[in-house]
Every structure is written in structure tokens, then in C-alpha cells.
Amino acid sequence: MDMQQNDDGSDVEKYYVIEQKNLIQLLKLSIKNFIDFALSLTSGLEEEEGTLYQLFVVLEQILKHGLKDKNGLLGLTARTDFYNVIQIVSKDLEWTKDLLESISNMSHLRTFTGRGRAFLRLTMMQKKSHILFMEIVSNIDKVRALYHPHALLLAEEAHIISGLLVGLNVIDCNLCLRDRDLDSLPQVVQLSRYLRDGNYLDSPTPPPSPQLDTHKQDYQNILEQKSYVEEINEKLRLDFLVVEKKSKMFQQDNDMLMKEVQNMKSRIEELTSERDCLRQKMDQSEDAYRRKMEVEKADIAVERETYEASRQGLNELYLLAKEELVNANNKVTDLERDIEIERRIKSDLEKANGLLEKELLDKEDTIVALRKQCADVKKLNLSMLNKVQEADKKLAEREVSLKDMESRTVQSSSEMTDLVNIT
């Protein structure tokens, strides 16, 4: 069973390959038949005759080959139209925008199929059929989901299609699509046109005359020259578009650079004015600083002179204060010596008083007898007491003067210290 299924699958694939080859062969035959017919004409093709119609039928069959069905409403299935493929691929192409707009303005076309057929005819008239199929094959990933794997456009032979259609550029087509019913055209490939004995019912064609062959050859040469010139013009047009695009880019860059230059000029002017203002302010500040430095130098000179004078005066004051300090120290020494003497006298008096008191205590029993002597002694004591009081008073005065001298000495020492620190 597995072998049978594999055989069936391989047979189906073979059938698909045969279908693809048949379509390619039909395309080659239809293109050859159409070119032969067009070369026999003395002017461009202005109406859609049988060979051109068969070419459009084959192109439509190629676009429809392997299209998937899509699910519709109520579970019904509907086949995807090849115009959807054209719309998806043409969405990002500049040269197809005008064609799509023209087709949308054709109100008599009601179906996608009719619009797709009109698109094929418009590309034929503009000699861009090969570009259309080349774009479809190049961007097949965008429409891969719409096709089955056996579709011709997904096969390697799809690249041959655009190369076969390049030969159609030697033919001028001016077809009228206005009010033409493209929605219901029958899509039948007339194989009798391509078979050797297919046209046996038609009347035999007379043998061509040498003059007609000469005219055909001349016309073919002219058409070849025309196609060559058209290719050159197309190349020049593409080069012109590239140059124009570059020119626009350069113009935009130039405008941007001009704006930047203008902005830089205005910025330079602002910076120049700011520099001039800063330079003026700097000059003013330098003049003010110079004047201030001159005033400061003059003040420093005056202060130096004042300092020298005050230093000399302070030195004199220091010497005077030093002499006064020496004198004060001498006076303090004398006062301390006097105070020491007074203290000794006072101690002596105290000792004498002690001795007297001791004697009085020792001689209490002789007091009565010596009252007279006691009175004298009392007088003597009173006189001595008066002297002691006077001596105490003098001592207190000397202590006050000593404290005054000490405060003066401390003040003089502080003044001397301040003078030394100042110097």
C-alpha cells in the first residue's frame, strides 16, 4: 500500500511537471505566433486579434496555475483571483500606481478577473509585461501563501517567463479597453493554431512574393532598430530617473548644507558680536583693573610710608615703655623692700607684745606692786599701739600703691607684647 501511495504521489508530481512544461511551451508558441503575425503588419497593432488574445489567455493561465481556494461565507469555497497576486506585488512598485488607478476608474469592470485582464493588457501596451512577471517571481515570498507548491510561478522554470516576454517589446500595441467586457471573456486555448495540421479547413495561403519578403525583411530590420532604440531609451530613462533621484538627493543635501551654512553664518555673526562685546568688556575690565592696580599701588605706598612712620614711632614708644617698665620694676623692688622692712618691724612688735604678755602673765603677782610701772608701761603700750596703727595704715597704702604698680606693670607688659607683635 505504501509503495502504491508513493507511486501515486510521484505520478501526481510528474503530472504537475508536465503541466508546467505545457504552459511554458504554450507561452513560447503563443509569443512566436504573435510576433510573426505582428511583423507581417505594416503598422502597430491597434486591436486585439486572435494571436494576442491567445497570448493573454496563456498568461492568465500561468497566473492562475496552482492558486489555492479561499473559504467564503457559509462554508463555501471560492478560488483566489490572480488579480490579488498582482495587487500584492504591485503595492510597492512606483510604475504600477498609475495602472492600478486607471483600472479603478474603469467602472464597467465589476470583477477582479476583468481588472486583472485589463492590467495585463495595459502592461502589454507599456511594454512592461516582462517586468511584471519578473517582479512576481522576485517577490514570490509575498504571494507564496496563495499558491499550491506545484504552481508554475513557484517552480524554477518561472524565471524563463520574463525572458520570453522581453521579445514582445518590439511590438507596439494600442488597445482600446473602454467599454470592453473583460469580465466574461472565454478563456479557451485554441491549440489548432499551434498544431501542424490544425488549419487544414482554412484556404491555403498563396506563396509569398520576393518583393513582399523584401518589405518584410526591411520592416523587421526597422522593428529591430526600433526595439534597439526603445531599449536604449528605456535604459536612458532609467539612468535619467537614477540621475534625477540623485539630483534630488543632492539638491536636498545642498539645501540642507545651505541651511547649515546659513545657520553657521548667523552663528558666526552671533559669536563675532559676542566676541567683540567680550573683547570690549575685557578691555574695559583691563583698564579698570589697571586703574585699580595703580590706586592699590599708591595706597600700598602710602600705607608703607605710614607703616614706616608708625614703626619708628612705635619703636620710640617701645623704648619709652621699656624705660618706664624698668623704673616701675625698680619702684616695685623698693616698695617690696620697704614692705619687707615693715613686715619685719611688725613681726618684731608682735614678738615684743608676746614677750610683754608673757611677762605680764608671769608677773601677775607683782601687778599690784608695780601699778605705777604698769601705768607707764600702759602708756608706752598705747604709744606703741598708735605707732603700730600708723605703720599698718602706711603698709595698707603701700600695698594699694603696689597693686597699682603691678596693674601698670601688667598693662605695660601687654602693650610691649602688642608692640612686639606689630613690629
Side-chain angles (χ1 to χ4, degrees):
M1 292 294 291
D2 295 335
M3 292 296 293
Q4 185 176 359
Q5 289 178 359
N6 293 331
D7 292 339
D8 294 339
S10 61
D11 291 340
V12 172
E13 291 179 359
K14 290 179 180 179
Y15 293 148
Y16 290 150
V17 172
I18 292 171
E19 285 183 359
Q20 295 172 4
K21 291 182 178 180
N22 288 338
L23 287 174
I24 294 295
Q25 294 301 324
L26 281 175
L27 180 62
K28 291 179 180 179
L29 292 172
S30 60
I31 291 174
K32 181 179 179 301
N33 197 8
F34 173 61
I35 291 175
D36 291 340
F37 173 76
L39 292 177
S40 64
L41 300 176
T42 58
S43 62
L45 190 64
E46 295 183 357
E47 62 180 6
E48 186 176 332
E49 54 80 44
T51 56
L52 180 58
Y53 174 73
Q54 289 297 309
L55 177 60
F56 287 136
V57 171
V58 175
L59 292 176
E60 184 176 341
Q61 292 298 324
I62 290 173
L63 290 172
K64 287 182 177 181
H65 185 257
L67 272 176
K68 292 181 180 179
D69 296 334
K70 59 182 179 180
N71 295 326
L73 297 175
L74 302 176
L76 300 176
T77 57
R79 189 165 187 175
T80 306
D81 198 88
F82 70 95
Y83 187 62
N84 296 329
V85 178
I86 294 174
Q87 283 182 319
I88 293 172
V89 175
S90 302
K91 182 172 61 175
D92 298 329
L93 301 177
E94 291 292 334
W95 62 274
T96 59
K97 292 182 179 179
D98 295 336
L99 301 182
L100 294 173
E101 186 177 358
S102 299
I103 291 172
S104 62
N105 294 329
M106 295 180 184
S107 58
H108 64 282
L109 299 177
R110 299 180 180 179
T111 62
F112 280 177
T113 303
R115 295 175 183 175
R117 292 167 181 170
F119 192 88
L120 290 177
R121 284 156 176 79
L122 289 175
T123 54
M124 180 67 71
M125 285 189 285
Q126 292 191 0
K127 300 181 181 181
K128 292 183 179 179
S129 298
H130 66 289
I131 299 177
L132 173 63
F133 279 87
M134 183 175 61
E135 292 292 341
I136 293 174
V137 175
S138 300
N139 300 291
I140 196 63
D141 292 334
K142 295 181 180 180
V143 295
R144 188 181 295 273
L146 301 179
Y147 284 98
H148 290 289
H150 64 271
L152 175 58
L153 293 177
L154 301 181
E156 295 181 357
E157 290 79 4
H159 297 280
I160 304 173
I161 300 173
S162 59
L164 295 174
L165 294 174
V166 173
L168 299 176
N169 293 338
V170 300
I171 300 171
D172 293 329
C173 296
N174 296 316
L175 306 177
C176 181
L177 302 180
R178 183 178 296 176
D179 298 331
R180 186 177 179 189
D181 186 12
L182 297 176
D183 296 327
S184 59
L185 281 178
Q187 299 298 300
V188 179
V189 179
Q190 189 176 356
L191 297 176
S192 61
R193 291 178 177 271
Y194 314 119
L195 298 176
R196 181 173 299 175
D197 298 330
N199 297 328
Y200 63 92
L201 295 178
D202 297 337
S203 58
T205 56
S209 62
Q211 186 177 3
L212 182 60
D213 291 339
T214 304
H215 288 302
K216 284 184 177 180
Q217 186 65 31
D218 294 338
Y219 182 70
Q220 187 172 0
N221 293 332
I222 292 170
L223 287 177
E224 289 178 356
Q225 293 176 1
K226 180 177 178 294
S227 63
Y228 177 70
V229 172
E230 286 179 352
E231 289 179 0
I232 293 176
N233 289 333
E234 183 68 18
K235 185 178 179 181
L236 291 175
R237 188 182 66 82
L238 294 176
D239 294 338
F240 176 74
L241 292 176
V242 173
V243 172
E244 187 178 8
K245 187 175 180 180
K246 289 182 179 180
S247 175
K248 289 181 181 178
M249 292 174 62
F250 288 148
Q251 185 66 29
Q252 292 177 358
D253 294 339
N254 190 19
D255 294 337
M256 292 177 64
L257 290 175
M258 290 300 292
K259 289 181 180 178
E260 291 180 359
V261 168
Q262 192 68 26
N263 294 329
M264 292 296 293
K265 285 183 179 179
S266 60
R267 181 61 179 167
I268 289 171
E269 291 177 357
E270 292 177 358
L271 292 175
T272 304
S273 61
E274 186 176 356
R275 184 198 63 186
D276 295 337
C277 293
L278 290 174
R279 183 175 292 175
Q280 187 177 2
K281 289 181 180 178
M282 185 176 68
D283 295 336
Q284 293 176 358
S285 61
E286 285 181 354
D287 294 337
Y289 179 74
R290 193 180 297 110
R291 290 194 297 270
K292 187 176 180 180
M293 287 297 296
E294 291 176 355
V295 173
E296 291 291 335
K297 286 181 180 179
D299 293 338
I300 290 171
V302 173
E303 288 180 358
R304 186 176 294 168
E305 292 176 358
T306 306
Y307 173 72
E308 294 292 337
S310 62
R311 185 175 181 180
Q312 186 176 1
L314 288 173
N315 289 331
E316 293 176 357
L317 289 175
Y318 174 71
L319 295 175
L320 292 175
K322 191 174 182 180
E323 291 178 357
E324 289 181 356
L325 181 61
V326 171
N327 294 329
N329 288 329
N330 293 329
K331 289 180 180 180
V332 168
T333 303
D334 294 337
L335 288 174
E336 288 178 351
R337 189 182 297 112
D338 293 338
I339 290 169
E340 186 67 25
I341 293 171
E342 292 293 335
R343 285 179 180 173
R344 288 178 181 178
I345 293 170
K346 186 176 180 180
S347 62
D348 292 339
L349 289 174
E350 289 178 352
K351 289 179 180 180
N353 288 329
L355 292 173
L356 288 174
E357 288 179 355
K358 186 176 181 181
E359 288 178 357
L360 287 174
L361 292 173
D362 292 338
K363 294 179 179 180
E364 282 182 357
D365 55 348
T366 60
I367 291 173
V368 176
L370 297 175
R371 286 187 180 198
K372 187 176 180 179
Q373 292 179 0
C374 185
D376 295 335
V377 171
K378 189 175 181 181
K379 289 180 181 180
L380 181 60
N381 287 332
L382 289 173
S383 63
M384 290 297 292
L385 181 61
N386 291 328
K387 289 180 180 181
V388 169
Q389 289 178 353
E390 289 178 359
D392 290 333
K393 191 179 292 185
K394 289 180 180 180
L395 182 62
E397 290 177 357
R398 288 180 180 180
E399 287 179 354
V400 170
S401 63
L402 181 62
K403 290 180 179 179
D404 189 13
M405 290 298 292
E406 287 179 354
S407 62
R408 288 182 182 179
T409 302
V410 172
Q411 185 176 2
S412 299
S413 299
S414 62
E415 289 178 356
M416 289 296 296
T417 304
D418 293 335
L419 290 173
V420 171
N421 292 329
I422 293 172
T423 56

